[in-house]
Amino acid sequence: MKSLPSALRQGLIRCDECGALAQRGAASRPCPVCGSSLHARIPNSLQRTLAFLLCGYALYVPANIYPIMTVTQFGVGETHTILGGILTLIEGDMLPIAILVFIASILVPLLKLIGLSLLWLCVFYRWQVNARRWTLMYRIIAFVGRWSMLDIFMISILISLVDLGGVAQVLAGPAATAFASVVVITLFAAKNFDPRLIWDNQKI
């Protein structure tokens, strides 16, 4: 199938906020529709994405090795890591919930980091790929990212519900902060990556 020339090659710039098209010569002026700054491509997209990815990888380790919550019953505290919580769910015959937590807490963040890394490498090394499929992969990563806060959401509910003074209490652990940071940072990484760079490198 013959590919059509990109909007940039036709002298057009697409506003990142509202999607309006403007002439390339208008790049120094704000978008005529929403007033946002116009850029042919997101400025310093690769540098920003790389910085967020490195932070994400650095925080992914403590998010999985440190306790994500501490359950205190009658003054005795018991810490749980993400993986330890999954094993506890399996031992309690709650396999579907354990699978859900495993996918949302371990698998999805890791796949997002790997997927964004592959996209970054694809643009940086100018790989000749199927741009449609790689753009689809980017869109899936960007869509899934907003649903990755399941663990933090569950802990927030537990903390608010299980607060019986000295009898029972649930407290968020240091891994909760690291995990939430990984989710937010991967969102920023996806937001700063410009998928149009994939198309720019293809030899049409």
Side-chain angles (χ1 to χ4, degrees), residues 88-157:
T88 302
L89 288 171
I90 294 174
E91 291 172 356
D93 292 330
M94 292 185 280
L95 185 59
I97 299 177
I99 294 173
L100 181 64
V101 173
F102 174 77
I103 292 174
S105 304
I106 294 180
L107 197 60
V108 169
L110 184 60
L111 290 179
K112 280 170 56 185
L113 287 171
I114 293 174
L116 286 168
S117 300
L118 288 174
L119 288 166
W120 189 91
L121 290 170
C122 174
V123 173
F124 186 79
Y125 288 107
R126 300 177 180 274
W127 291 349
Q128 298 303 303
V129 297
N130 187 322
R132 290 181 188 274
R133 292 180 182 173
W134 284 69
T135 303
L136 177 63
M137 180 172 77
Y138 167 77
R139 290 176 178 169
I140 291 173
I141 291 172
F143 176 79
V144 170
R146 68 193 70 173
W147 300 100
S148 301
M149 280 288 193
L150 180 64
D151 264 22
I152 304 302
F153 180 66
M154 291 172 64
I155 292 172
S156 302
I157 293 176

Side-chain angles (χ1 to χ4, degrees), residues 155-197:
I155 292 172
S156 302
I157 293 176
L158 281 173
I159 290 173
S160 60
L161 293 178
V162 185
D163 188 3
L164 303 178
V167 179
Q169 199 173 29
V170 176
L171 299 173
T177 304
F179 182 79
S181 300
V182 170
V183 174
V184 173
I185 283 172
T186 51
L187 284 173
F188 282 139
K191 180 70 176 176
N192 280 275
F193 180 80
D194 196 333
R196 294 171 294 186
L197 295 173

Side-chain angles (χ1 to χ4, degrees), residues 4-76:
L4 297 174
S6 65
L8 184 62
R9 291 179 181 175
Q10 297 182 59
L12 298 171
I13 296 177
R14 179 181 177 275
C15 175
D16 295 329
E17 301 300 328
C18 68
L21 291 176
Q23 293 296 324
R24 191 174 181 179
S28 58
R29 298 191 298 270
C31 173
V33 177
C34 67
S36 302
S37 299
L38 289 175
H39 303 286
R41 298 293 180 259
I42 297 175
N44 302 317
S45 172
L46 287 184
Q47 293 89 335
R48 292 182 185 182
T49 305
L50 178 61
F52 284 122
L53 280 175
L54 292 177
C55 290
Y57 279 115
L59 287 168
Y60 184 79
V61 176
N64 283 281
I65 63 174
Y66 286 113
I68 195 166
M69 66 179 178
T70 301
V71 180
T72 304
Q73 289 181 305
F74 302 107
V76 180

